Amino acid sequence: MMGQSATHRVWRVGADIDTDALAPGAYMKFGIEEIARHCLQRVRPEFAAEVRSGDVLVAGPNFGIGSSREQAAVALVRLGVAAVIAPSFGGLFFRNAFNVGLLLLTCPQAEALAEGDRIAFDPMTGRIARPGVEPAELQCEAVPTFLMDMVRAGGLLNVLKQRQSS
Amino acid sequence: MMGQSATHRVWRVGADIDTDALAPGAYMKFGIEEIARHCLQRVRPEFAAEVRSGDVLVAGPNFGIGSSREQAAVALVRLGVAAVIAPSFGGLFFRNAFNVGLLLLTCPQAEALAEGDRIAFDPMTGRIARPGVEPAELQCEAVPTFLMDMVRAGGLLNVLKQRQSS
């Protein structure tokens, strides 16, 4: 699903995107579909309507700071975002994201990626390939196997269910 | 143990302290006691010998980046570090830290704290108090209850054990 062969379209946002930008407080009571429909509305009003399954979100430092609301990560999963790539993440968001099956790539050079770039990535080695653009390869932190298991299973609960039934 | 009344002595380190600085690769095979003895040796050679139980470590952005080795967090627990306070943390380190009972406080203004400061803090509200120094109060992200439960229990495994036996 996310090998070097697939290509993913890049959406760019800035630094310090907080959980309220991802899951706006005003929509929290209406459920996850409605929250997802307003995801990133404050910074990219067209995002929720135009993002396609398999696209990736590239951000500046401190992506997902703020509250511990899990819906911030779930909204991105619902919209089909294949990964978020940023130099750093809010710690609570990082915990929640993998728990709900959202892949995060920690990449010091994330901001070298531009809106509309097409990239391939391999989470297990941390390599991002961007054919035809310099630098053609970026290095992220490798994602450990136990976290990739969560991403592949669609979240921690599914990993636990699979283990119980095996 | 960590209310506003207790005071904690500050140790300062810089930005981008990685897991190899916390748990040096050269000592990984000798077990956690030996690893802890060399914790932060590269940046603060006196740290492991002089840190006292209840002291806090204050760092710049990206504390704990690098590998997913859990020993990086366990070494700080073994040395009695009451909390690490930084503007941001490596995501894997953040996961591991709470899982092994190490409290992390995400504080945009962390670097206003100085070596040797005496502080009190309340993780549930995120407030840091520093009597007699300006700014006298800093605001961190509040730590959610489920993570404080892990800190109080000494890690995730102890939380699970307590639940099983209750």
Side-chain angles (χ1 to χ4, degrees):
Chain A
M1 127 202 188
M2 287 168 296
Q4 290 278 2
S5 54
T7 69
H8 305 270
R9 187 174 56 147
V10 168
W11 288 79
R12 279 287 266 119
V13 291
D16 302 319
I17 298 290
D18 62 21
T19 52
D20 194 67
L22 293 164
Y27 302 98
M28 290 300 280
K29 63 171 177 282
F30 298 114
I32 189 64
E33 291 302 334
E34 194 64 21
I35 293 167
R37 209 167 289 144
H38 296 276
C39 180
L40 289 174
Q41 180 174 272
R42 197 207 304 160
V43 288
R44 296 290 306 261
E46 77 284 25
F47 178 75
E50 296 181 11
V51 67
R52 293 284 166 271
S53 181
D55 289 356
V56 297
L57 190 58
V58 175
N62 295 324
F63 187 87
I65 51 170
S67 78
S68 61
R69 65 181 77 152
E70 210 172 43
Q71 292 91 335
V74 179
L76 294 173
V77 171
R78 285 297 182 108
L79 294 171
V81 169
V84 185
I85 305 170
S88 60
F89 294 92
L92 295 169
F93 180 79
F94 192 94
R95 269 191 93 94
N96 288 336
F98 283 96
N99 286 351
V100 301
L102 177 64
L103 175 64
L104 305 183
L105 294 171
T106 304
C107 181
Q109 314 144 283
E111 288 164 295
L113 297 171
E115 178 76 20
D117 276 356
R118 294 252 161 203
I119 64 168
F121 54 82
D122 178 359
M124 304 294 283
T125 63
R127 270 208 304 277
I128 297 178
R130 187 170 56 154
V133 187
E134 283 301 317
E137 209 169 279
L138 306 178
Q139 186 64 45
C140 312
E141 288 183 14
V143 178
T145 307
F146 79 99
L147 290 182
M148 278 313 296
D149 287 347
M150 287 192 206
V151 173
R152 290 195 195 101
L156 176 58
L157 288 178
N158 291 326
V159 172
L160 298 176
K161 276 180 210 158
Q162 283 170 7
R163 285 194 194 157
Q164 276 190 323
S165 64
S166 69
Chain B
M1 126 202 190
M2 289 168 295
Q4 289 279 3
S5 54
T7 70
H8 305 269
R9 186 175 57 145
V10 168
W11 288 79
R12 279 285 267 121
V13 292
D16 302 319
I17 298 291
D18 63 21
T19 53
D20 193 68
L22 293 163
Y27 301 97
M28 289 299 282
K29 62 171 178 280
F30 299 114
I32 190 65
E33 291 302 335
E34 195 62 22
I35 293 167
R37 210 167 288 144
H38 297 276
C39 180
L40 289 175
Q41 182 175 271
R42 197 207 304 160
V43 288
R44 296 290 305 262
E46 77 284 25
F47 177 75
E50 296 181 11
V51 66
R52 293 283 167 270
S53 182
D55 288 357
V56 296
L57 190 57
V58 175
N62 295 324
F63 187 88
I65 51 170
S67 77
S68 61
R69 65 181 77 153
E70 210 173 44
Q71 293 90 336
V74 179
L76 294 172
V77 171
R78 285 296 182 107
L79 294 171
V81 169
V84 184
I85 305 170
S88 59
F89 296 91
L92 295 169
F93 180 79
F94 192 93
R95 270 192 93 93
N96 288 335
F98 283 95
N99 286 351
V100 302
L102 177 63
L103 174 65
L104 306 183
L105 294 172
T106 303
C107 180
Q109 314 145 281
E111 288 163 295
L113 297 171
E115 177 76 21
D117 276 356
R118 295 251 162 205
I119 63 169
F121 54 82
D122 178 1
M124 304 294 283
T125 63
R127 271 209 302 277
I128 297 178
R130 187 170 56 154
V133 187
E134 284 301 319
E137 210 170 277
L138 305 179
Q139 185 64 43
C140 311
E141 288 184 15
V143 178
T145 307
F146 79 98
L147 290 181
M148 278 313 296
D149 287 347
M150 287 193 205
V151 172
R152 290 196 194 100
L156 176 59
L157 288 179
N158 291 325
V159 172
L160 297 176
K161 275 181 210 158
Q162 284 171 6
R163 284 194 193 158
Q164 276 189 323
S165 64
S166 69

